[in-house]
Amino acid sequence: EMCIRDRKEVSVVLANKRGKMKKQKSELNKHVHNRHSLSPKTSNQVGYIRAIVENDVTICSGPAGSGKTTICVGLACEHLLAGKIEKIIITRPVVESGGGLGYLPGSFHDKIHPYLVPVMDEMSKYISSSGIDYIKKNNILEICPLEYMRGRNFHNSFIILDEAQNATIEQIKMFITRLGRKSKAVVNGDVNQTDLPNRVRGGLSTCISCLRGLHGVGIVELDDDDVIRHGIISVSYTHLTLPTNRE
């Protein structure tokens, strides 16, 4: 059994940890302000939020504009500002049509920036640009390409894998196993879209099938009724994904 001395040392460590998180929250609130509160627009989006709150890992599939990214980014911001987590980690597969990162100009961070613009646009709905600069500068927000996450562990964090339809099953497994203590992971994508070459199989559908019903894992499937962008998106998406219209 743990001796009294060990218990005291553990108590001191935990007290210091709580003090550190309280101080971080105080400093954070000085620089970062919540611009808008997360507001789900459909019942499925309410279910998506509930799944993230109640589970350690949440996997969400849905068409473009259905709120996959805006919901999880908004919830991550709310968790950060409430002091429930210490960091937000955002990643996505680096997949594009032709070429590679080496073809893009600039530093490594300059190269990955175009891939993460959609996520950062969503974050700007909830946190001001100066606030985003603050959390990036202080390593509270970390942008990490999926291909560079191997070997890392994220504790007290909210980690998001966006555009997971472009990830292989091996990459998704690697991402989920980065999950550390008191952390949440969200994997989202559209199983009907992929930028992967024909010879490479995406792993999102397989991941959903294998993990459905597992305790601690939430599976959410959004549909055309959840599309909250321009109304034409839902109609166009439905017709473009009909089997008769596929080449």
Side-chain angles (χ1 to χ4, degrees):
E1 293 183 2
M2 185 180 293
C3 66
I4 295 176
R5 181 180 176 183
D6 290 339
R7 289 175 181 172
K8 287 182 178 179
E9 289 178 351
V10 170
S11 296
V12 170
V13 170
L14 291 176
N16 289 338
K17 183 69 173 178
R18 288 191 292 268
K20 179 183 175 182
M21 290 188 70
K22 185 176 181 180
K23 181 178 180 181
Q24 176 177 299
K25 180 183 176 183
S26 177
E27 286 296 314
L28 193 65
N29 290 333
K30 287 181 183 178
H31 300 276
V32 183
H33 305 284
N34 198 345
R35 299 180 66 185
H36 300 287
S37 296
L38 178 61
S39 179
K41 302 296 191 296
T42 69
S43 59
N44 282 341
Q45 290 183 0
V46 172
Y48 184 19
I49 293 173
R50 184 181 298 113
I52 295 174
V53 170
E54 295 178 351
N55 294 281
D56 298 318
V57 176
T58 301
I59 304 171
C60 177
S61 174
S66 58
K68 301 185 301 295
T69 301
T70 193
I71 292 291
C72 64
V73 169
L75 203 55
C77 293
E78 290 193 353
H79 274 57
L80 179 66
L81 294 173
K84 296 179 180 178
I85 56 168
E86 295 179 358
K87 293 186 70 173
I88 297 175
I89 313 296
I90 297 175
T91 186
R92 62 170 290 177
V94 178
V95 176
E96 75 283 355
S97 300
L101 282 178
Y103 291 87
L104 296 175
S107 67
F108 173 75
H109 290 286
D110 292 332
K111 292 174 187 290
I112 67 171
H113 177 72
Y115 298 91
L116 294 161
V117 166
V119 179
M120 301 310 295
D121 284 346
E122 294 298 336
M123 184 167 285
S124 67
K125 295 178 182 177
Y126 304 101
I127 297 178
S128 66
S129 57
S130 60
I132 292 175
D133 289 340
Y134 174 83
I135 61 178
K136 288 174 68 176
K137 181 180 178 181
N138 289 274
N139 205 34
I140 297 170
L141 169 64
E142 183 176 346
I143 308 300
C144 182
L146 182 60
E147 291 79 359
Y148 289 81
M149 292 187 75
R150 188 175 299 280
R152 302 191 61 187
N153 295 295
F154 299 101
H155 304 291
N156 300 297
S157 301
F158 197 119
I159 59 177
I160 299 170
L161 170 56
D162 197 44
E163 300 289 343
Q165 74 273 3
N166 291 329
T168 64
I169 187 62
E170 289 78 15
Q171 288 177 317
I172 296 176
K173 285 194 293 184
M174 182 271 292
F175 170 81
I176 292 175
T177 55
R178 302 307 95 206
L179 192 66
R181 297 183 302 274
K182 297 182 178 179
S183 293
K184 288 186 177 293
V186 178
V187 178
N188 71 58
D190 182 353
V191 294
N192 292 314
Q193 291 184 349
T194 182
D195 296 313
L196 291 170
N198 292 332
R199 67 182 182 278
V200 180
R201 183 180 179 186
L204 184 58
S205 294
T206 302
C207 187
I208 291 173
S209 299
C210 292
L211 299 183
R212 190 183 297 277
L214 188 65
H215 178 71
V217 177
I219 304 294
V220 179
E221 293 173 303
L222 305 177
D223 56 36
D224 296 345
D225 293 334
D226 300 302
V227 174
I228 54 176
R229 293 179 188 167
H230 196 291
I232 194 63
I233 292 178
S234 178
V235 178
S236 300
Y237 182 86
T238 300
H239 282 75
L240 289 170
T241 51
L242 288 173
T244 54
N245 292 334
R246 295 176 185 169
E247 294 182 359

